């Protein structure tokens, strides 16, 4: 629904509100943890507040223009499009939606269509690459060690809650930074710049933990403080790049005929690698993966900033690799 020129900013509201919600939940847990013995009941019970707000909000939420067009409710779709764009001059965009919907209806099996050669860029980048790499950054592994750093600074039993609160506060700040930079600097820049940062932070943290921690060793407080700062910087880099971009870019590159199938695969791949990474605690391995995913973006991902979703397919025709797949399809479908 968002206009192309501010699509990145609007999309980041998802990341921002999610991170704010997690931060608020952590703050509530931190306070209720001090209420014995019934604080946990209060923490669980307060979850009814956002659930109620979402239910009430859902009653007033309109269908998207795309969805209404797919249902054949063209006048309603046009009315919603006029409302969200704030102008009556929407005929060209509305016609693009109608044409895309007609093409989508011709597709009988969207999941099989996602595997078609002409959709190889979306499959490799959007459905598999980005959601997998979002978890392979090692974000969860870094957060696993965060409580250890806080314990070394003397926070004791509250270290886990405090580290979780601080890292989620960093994610909120990062989400705000991403909202202001996604449409200004582009998706590729944020992903590449953050990959360099995250690689450096992870190498330093990994080497330090290998030399100064384990086998009965305790981290000195000064070193623990440095590592906490590095972890927060890592979280900031992730939170303004791979965190939100792992959802933003896939939502931009799927054509209408495979969008629902593609987005469902994105979620599936993301959750699969979330479960997989939970079993790994190898920081040097993640550092290598961060380097690899930066290379993946540099060579394979074109810039989607301010490109209308219905015209993203044109990017593949200009790409050094993906144009081979798209051009082969165009040649086969030419009259």
């Amino acid at each position: 629904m968002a206009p192309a020129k501010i699509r990145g900013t609007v999309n980041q509201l998802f990341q921002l509100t999610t991170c704010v919600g997690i931060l608020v939940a952590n703050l509530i847990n931190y306070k209720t943890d001090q209420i014995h013995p019934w604080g946990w009941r209060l923490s669980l019970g307060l979850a009814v507040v956002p659930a109620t707000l979402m239910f009430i909000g859902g009653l007033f939420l309109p269908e998207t223009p795309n969805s209404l067009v797919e249902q054949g409710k063209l006048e309603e779709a046009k009315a919603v499009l006029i409302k969200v764009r704030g102008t009556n001059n929407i005929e060209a965009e509305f016609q693009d939606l109608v044409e895309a919907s007609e093409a989508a209806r011709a597709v009988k099996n969207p999941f099989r269509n996602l595997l078609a050669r002409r959709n190889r860029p979306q499959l490799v980048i959007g459905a598999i690459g980005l959601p997998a790499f979002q978890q392979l950054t090692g974000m969860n592994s870094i957060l696993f060690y965060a409580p250890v750093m806080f314990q070394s600074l003397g926070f004791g039993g509250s270290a886990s809650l405090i580290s979780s609160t601080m890292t989620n506060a960093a994610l909120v700040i990062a989400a705000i930074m991403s909202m202001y930079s996604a449409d200004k600097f582009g998706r590729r820049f944020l992903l590449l710049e953050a990959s360099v940062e995250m690689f450096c932070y992870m190498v330093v943290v990994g080497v330090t933990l290998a030399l100064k921690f384990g086998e009965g060793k305790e981290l000195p407080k000064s070193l623990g403080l440095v590592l906490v700062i590095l972890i927060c910087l890592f979280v900031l880099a992730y939170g303004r790049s791979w965190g939100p971009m792992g959802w933003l870019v896939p939502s931009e590159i799927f054509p209408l005929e495979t969008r629902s199938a593609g987005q469902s695969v994105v979620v599936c791949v993301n959750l699969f690698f979330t479960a997989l990474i939970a079993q790994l605690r190898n920081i040097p391995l993640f550092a290598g993966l961060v380097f690899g995913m930066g290379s993946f973006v540099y060579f394979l991902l074109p810039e989607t900033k301010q490109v209308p979703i219905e015209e993203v397919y044109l990017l593949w025709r200009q790409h050094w690799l993906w144009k081979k797949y798209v051009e082969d399809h165009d040649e086969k479908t030419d009259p």
Side-chain angles (χ1 to χ4, degrees):
M1 292 175 67
K5 64 180 181 180
I6 60 170
R7 187 172 60 234
T9 299
V10 174
N11 189 283
Q12 304 305 11
L13 286 172
F14 167 79
Q15 180 80 359
L16 176 63
T17 51
T18 299
C19 293
V20 168
I22 295 173
L23 177 60
V24 171
N26 282 327
L27 293 173
I28 291 173
N29 289 338
Y30 180 73
K31 298 301 288 186
T32 56
D33 183 57
Q34 303 170 20
I35 304 174
H36 298 286
W38 52 273
W40 65 273
R41 291 187 176 91
L42 177 61
S43 178
L44 286 176
L46 287 174
V48 75
V49 176
T52 302
L53 292 175
M54 285 191 290
F55 174 75
I56 295 174
L59 297 177
F60 298 95
L61 186 68
E63 290 277 1
T64 66
N66 273 334
S67 177
L68 290 169
V69 169
E70 287 181 336
Q71 297 174 52
K73 301 177 181 178
L74 301 185
E75 293 304 316
E76 289 184 44
K78 187 175 292 187
V80 172
L81 192 60
I82 290 173
K83 184 175 182 180
V84 296
R85 294 293 182 259
T87 177
N88 291 324
N89 186 23
I90 49 85
E91 288 301 325
E93 183 178 1
F94 181 74
Q95 190 58 40
D96 287 342
L97 293 179
V98 172
E99 291 175 0
S101 178
E102 290 173 352
R105 286 198 193 98
V107 178
K108 302 302 181 183
N109 193 322
F111 285 96
R112 186 180 301 168
N113 191 48
L114 185 61
L115 298 175
R117 180 180 174 84
R118 66 180 180 278
N119 291 322
R120 197 62 47 81
Q122 297 93 320
L123 176 67
V124 173
I125 296 175
I128 299 176
L130 289 179
F133 285 145
Q134 187 188 52
Q135 299 304 317
L136 291 172
T137 54
M139 175 68 172
N140 291 333
S141 183
I142 285 289
L143 296 183
F144 171 78
Y145 288 105
V148 176
M149 314 304 168
F150 282 89
Q151 285 177 354
S152 71
L153 295 176
F155 288 104
S158 300
S160 181
L161 281 173
I162 293 174
S163 64
S164 181
T165 301
M166 285 194 64
T167 51
N168 279 292
L171 284 174
V172 170
I173 295 172
I176 295 173
M177 295 170 64
S178 182
M179 286 180 64
Y180 284 96
S181 56
D183 288 318
K184 183 176 182 180
F185 299 109
R187 289 59 160 150
R188 274 173 54 87
F189 174 82
L190 292 180
L191 290 170
L192 292 172
E193 184 272 334
S195 295
V196 174
E197 272 195 64
M198 292 161 64
F199 175 79
C200 295
Y201 297 146
M202 197 167 282
V203 168
V204 174
V205 171
V207 171
T208 303
L209 289 175
L211 297 177
K212 299 295 184 179
F213 181 69
E215 299 180 358
K217 298 179 183 178
E218 291 187 2
L219 284 173
K221 285 191 175 182
S222 58
L223 185 57
L225 180 60
V226 171
L227 290 180
V228 166
I229 293 173
L230 288 177
I231 286 175
C232 288
L233 291 174
F234 178 92
V235 173
L236 279 172
Y238 171 88
R240 68 173 184 270
S241 60
W242 285 95
M245 298 303 148
W247 299 110
L248 172 60
V249 176
S251 74
E252 295 179 317
I253 64 177
F254 289 110
L256 188 58
E257 61 265 27
T258 61
R259 190 166 302 161
S260 297
Q263 287 298 101
S264 64
V265 174
V266 169
V267 176
C268 181
V269 171
N270 185 284
L271 293 178
F272 173 80
F273 278 91
T274 299
L276 177 64
I277 296 307
Q279 312 305 317
L280 301 177
R281 295 286 181 265
N282 192 321
I283 288 184
L285 170 64
F286 289 125
L289 288 170
V290 169
F291 179 83
M293 62 186 67
S295 301
F296 175 88
V297 169
Y298 181 81
F299 290 108
L300 299 182
L301 178 65
E303 181 55 66
T304 58
K305 179 184 71 172
Q306 298 185 3
V307 178
I309 290 179
E310 289 74 22
E311 298 178 10
V312 169
Y313 74 94
L314 296 173
L315 298 177
W316 313 126
R317 296 181 179 179
Q318 301 166 6
H319 191 271
W320 67 274
L321 174 63
W322 301 127
K323 67 180 181 180
K324 301 175 184 177
Y325 296 88
V326 178
E327 287 175 352
D328 286 349
H329 169 69
D330 289 344
E331 290 173 3
K332 292 176 183 178
T333 56
D334 280 343

